[in-house]
Amino acid sequence: MIKPGRMKYIVAGLVLLMALKCQSQSLWEMANEKRELLRISTLLTAQNVRDYLSKEKGINESIEWCKKTGVTHVFLESFRGGYTVGRKTLGHAKSRFEKEGFEVSGCITTTRVGKISTGWGNVGCYTDRKTCENLQKIFEYAASIFDEIMIDDFLFTNCECDECQVGRGGKSWPDYRCPLMIKVSTERILKPVKAVNPAAKIIIKYPQWYDNFHNRGYEVLQQTADYDKIWVGTETRDYDDKRWGGKVQYEAYYIMRWLGGIGGLKTGGGWFDPLGTTEDTYVEQARQTVLADAKEMLLFCYGALMRNTGPANVRKLRAEIPGLFELAGLVRNKPIKGIHAPKPPNSDAYDEQYVFDFVGMLGLPLVPVAEISTDAEAAFFSVHALKEPDLSSKLEKMLDAGKPLLITDGLAERLSNINTDAENLTVLKVNGNPRSLLKLSRRQLNPIRNRLLAPFGIRFDAPNKVALYLIGEQCLVVENFNDEPVDISLEFSKPVKARKTLVLPPERDVELSWSRGKLKFTKITPRTLVAVEY
Ligand SMILES: [Zn+2]
């Protein structure tokens, strides 16, 4: 029999042992265990393959780095910027990674393929026949080595050369470029690839600039139907960075959810990079990608993560990876609740470019969708919605049903027959400058939120740049993107019990308390995410 006094030592010992066991599980083991929930991948660009994987030492180092980072899937690129990696190097690297238990796929970046576009980005002029022939050869080569090939987000054109001008005739650029790129995709990529390797699957990775897809030839409905899988650019970087800035964190969430809805089961993962980031903004990309239900996150790219802010970013990410797996578990297979926020595919943004991203930063939990549904309980409409021919009657139907609607001033101006005096209609003053929304004060925001969130039985009191996400019926997430601590509160129309289930970064703590029917979060530290189950 154990003496009562000893029992506590035994219990303490067991607890310590369990804690040690948890700690000792390496990220590599954990990532392998969780790979069906969330996979972590990286890309070695063609130049990275040349520089790091041509010798055994480099291969060993990259394998070790991947294992330490929980990376279980590696993309080895065969072509980028006019450079092609030799078959021997690619084949050897592929087999080495496979032997170590990695999944290995290919990748192609279609820059400097042939005739260069007159626009930016070293992309091609696909009106030019020779460029298309080169493109086909690049894909045939990759298909002879890999069973899965990702296409980085340069498969577009912004060329306005004489040949393109003649080609488009009287059409607008989007009307010329979208069919052109659809044809290039099927005739020069998909068909030739399947002829070389019938098992090969091709992933089209869409850039983050969703408001300009159609302008440069990405047609997300047809191309998603044509390709085997899609991937999503979630590289928001740092809003304040001089070179790479201007994108808010919520963009990664909006685009990942929006394309996830279009792609359905074809949706692979999100892709972000360390360019112009700090450790904080780097991991915010990972959190938004995972919150948006990505099944995989790709860390672009091995070479970039070796220099500048890369190593510090990766250290911070590694510490968050166990929490990111938990976050993936919280969102998987759960419908999100909130404010219907449609962007019809190929819709023009006018002067409301990426307004959804900024509205999300206001603490309005959006449900990004491609189609307008009048069944939604609350909705946000911007000028993008003008793409919908039945817009006026749909808005009227929702207003008559008493649903709270938020519409931009730009949309209100363009709709002649809408009753802007309706009690359940709020006009959001964007003034043709979505960034200006970040200046709205807590006092200005609270009534807007409370009106829009009424159908969900929630009131939300918070400053700007604190995002709210309603996951399923019993989970919500708040994330503070400010550089200062914030106090916020949530009020529920029904009595609920709430418990904190996750905080990121993991070393932070957030105090939850109840006061007069309000759930208060005291001093949410800067750049911190909190998940609550209720
Ligand atoms: Zn051209």
Side-chain angles (χ1 to χ4, degrees):
M1 181 159 156
I2 302 162
K3 285 184 189 167
R6 287 235 174 119
M7 196 62 200
K8 66 179 175 199
Y9 294 109
I10 292 169
V11 170
L14 282 172
V15 168
L16 185 69
L17 266 175
M18 278 165 65
L20 282 172
K21 187 173 179 290
C22 284
Q23 252 184 11
S24 70
Q25 188 185 28
S26 66
L27 282 186
W28 172 246
E29 287 166 332
M30 188 185 288
N32 274 294
E33 207 177 285
K34 307 270 188 192
R35 65 204 286 175
E36 292 309 313
L37 175 66
L38 173 68
R39 213 162 302 187
I40 307 171
S41 45
T42 194
L43 166 74
L44 284 104
T45 63
Q47 289 74 12
N48 289 168
V49 174
R50 177 193 64 203
D51 297 344
Y52 295 101
L53 305 183
S54 293
K55 297 207 173 93
E56 288 309 306
K57 184 170 175 280
I59 295 178
N60 293 335
E61 283 167 1
S62 59
I63 286 172
E64 196 194 334
W65 180 90
C66 287
K67 288 187 172 180
K68 275 189 183 162
T69 314
V71 167
T72 59
H73 186 187
V74 175
F75 288 81
L76 303 180
E77 196 175 66
S78 52
F79 180 92
R80 171 179 293 251
Y83 172 72
T84 306
V85 184
R87 184 179 292 276
K88 218 175 127 191
T89 305
L90 275 174
H92 178 64
K94 179 172 180 272
S95 73
R96 282 292 317 277
F97 272 100
E98 281 172 346
K99 271 193 197 117
E100 293 285 339
F102 290 87
E103 271 177 84
V104 183
S105 303
C107 186
I108 288 169
T109 297
T110 53
T111 45
R112 306 198 81 84
V113 167
K115 181 176 165 184
I116 305 283
S117 160
T118 58
W120 55 273
N122 277 336
V123 294
C125 164
Y126 293 104
T127 309
D128 182 62
R129 192 183 173 83
K130 187 86 182 66
T131 305
C132 294
E133 285 167 5
N134 290 350
L135 185 77
Q136 181 172 336
K137 281 189 201 127
I138 289 162
F139 277 89
E140 285 168 340
Y141 173 62
S144 72
I145 303 170
F146 299 102
D147 287 335
E148 181 174 82
I149 303 157
M150 172 110 74
I151 311 172
D152 192 4
D153 56 18
F154 291 86
L155 190 65
F156 65 91
T157 185
N158 45 20
C159 190
E160 295 186 4
C161 75
D162 292 346
E163 220 185 322
C164 286
Q165 292 283 9
V166 171
R168 78 160 169 149
K171 290 183 192 149
S172 70
W173 284 119
D175 285 347
Y176 174 61
R177 288 171 183 159
C178 286
L180 175 70
M181 296 315 292
I182 289 168
K183 195 166 164 231
V184 165
S185 290
T186 52
E187 300 297 320
R188 299 295 186 172
I189 298 176
L190 291 162
K191 275 187 203 163
V193 157
K194 309 271 173 177
V196 170
N197 178 358
K201 302 267 184 269
I202 308 292
I203 307 168
I204 183 165
K205 180 220 164 188
Y206 294 116
Q208 62 176 149
W209 33 267
Y210 60 84
D211 263 344
N212 280 304
F213 283 171
H214 57 302
N215 293 329
R216 299 172 193 148
Y218 277 113
E219 211 293 323
V220 285
L221 293 181
Q222 192 57 50
Q223 288 188 308
T224 301
D226 291 344
Y227 280 93
D228 299 295
K229 287 188 192 174
I230 66 164
W231 213 274
V232 184
T234 57
E235 54 276 70
T236 50
R237 300 162 183 156
D238 196 319
Y239 186 75
D240 297 317
D241 188 78
K242 282 197 181 69
R243 178 164 175 206
W244 302 101
K247 294 287 172 186
V248 281
Q249 293 87 337
Y250 200 86
E251 179 168 294
Y253 181 80
Y254 187 86
I255 188 179
M256 190 75 225
R257 287 274 180 193
W258 185 70
L259 283 171
I262 291 169
L265 292 174
K266 284 190 173 185
T267 314
W271 159 318
F272 54 88
D273 64 37
L275 304 176
T277 61
T278 60
E279 292 106 292
D280 286 341
T281 46
Y282 182 71
V283 295
E284 280 170 348
Q285 302 178 106
R287 294 179 198 157
Q288 294 301 298
T289 302
V290 175
L291 254 179
D293 206 19
K295 294 191 279 286
E296 187 160 340
M297 55 178 192
L298 185 142
L299 318 178
F300 177 94
C301 62
Y302 181 69
L305 291 166
M306 293 294 119
R307 54 179 189 261
N308 302 329
T309 56
N313 288 346
V314 170
R315 258 196 308 281
K316 174 116 179 162
L317 178 72
R318 284 172 180 163
E320 292 212 3
I321 285 173
L324 289 168
F325 284 126
E326 279 182 56
L327 190 61
L330 287 175
V331 300
R332 187 57 35 81
N333 296 328
K334 292 201 191 106
I336 50 168
K337 277 199 307 190
I339 301 152
H340 189 62
K343 150 134 181 116
N346 311 317
S347 54
D348 284 319
Y350 303 92
D351 54 0
E352 293 179 0
Q353 298 254 331
Y354 310 103
V355 68
F356 303 99
D357 314 346
F358 295 92
V359 171
M361 296 298 281
L362 307 179
L364 291 165
L366 301 184
V367 179
V369 287
E371 273 176 55
I372 297 172
S373 163
T374 52
D375 294 337
E377 293 176 271
F380 164 65
F381 293 106
S382 55
V383 291
H384 303 74
L386 291 163
K387 181 86 181 167
E388 164 69 48
D390 271 347
L391 180 64
S392 290
S393 67
K394 287 188 172 177
L395 287 182
E396 219 168 286
K397 193 175 168 195
M398 295 179 89
L399 283 173
D400 289 348
K403 291 173 176 176
L405 300 189
L406 179 68
I407 71 169
T408 61
D409 49 357
L411 180 61
E413 272 167 34
R414 287 173 171 87
L415 292 171
S416 50
N417 50 355
I418 191 160
N419 174 16
T420 46
D421 295 330
E423 213 171 282
N424 49 335
L425 181 78
T426 307
V427 176
L428 184 68
K429 292 218 166 39
V430 179
N431 297 315
N433 179 13
R435 289 177 190 197
S436 66
L437 295 174
L438 296 178
K439 296 205 175 83
L440 290 173
S441 71
R442 187 174 194 142
R443 264 186 60 197
Q444 290 168 309
L445 288 173
N446 283 346
I448 299 175
R449 288 194 204 107
N450 292 342
R451 231 171 283 154
L452 271 290
L453 289 174
F456 311 100
I458 292 174
R459 292 167 70 85
F460 184 41
D461 174 12
N464 209 319
K465 294 201 268 179
V466 180
L468 173 67
Y469 311 80
L470 305 177
I471 313 288
E473 289 305 313
Q474 275 139 356
C475 177
L476 62 86
V477 172
V478 290
E479 187 162 0
N480 177 16
F481 294 116
N482 291 285
D483 287 318
E484 305 81 38
V486 297
D487 291 337
I488 63 158
S489 74
L490 279 154
E491 214 177 318
F492 299 85
S493 60
K494 284 186 235 157
V496 296
K497 278 186 180 166
R499 120 191 128 78
K500 187 172 53 184
T501 47
L502 177 68
V503 178
L504 287 174
E507 72 276 9
R508 301 272 168 80
D509 194 24
V510 175
E511 202 185 305
L512 244 62
S513 63
W514 285 95
S515 161
R516 289 189 222 123
K518 285 184 185 174
L519 178 64
K520 297 200 165 185
F521 298 65
T522 310
K523 292 222 165 19
I524 302 182
T525 41
R527 313 275 178 174
T528 301
L529 173 149
V530 192
V532 171
E533 285 185 276
Y534 61 95

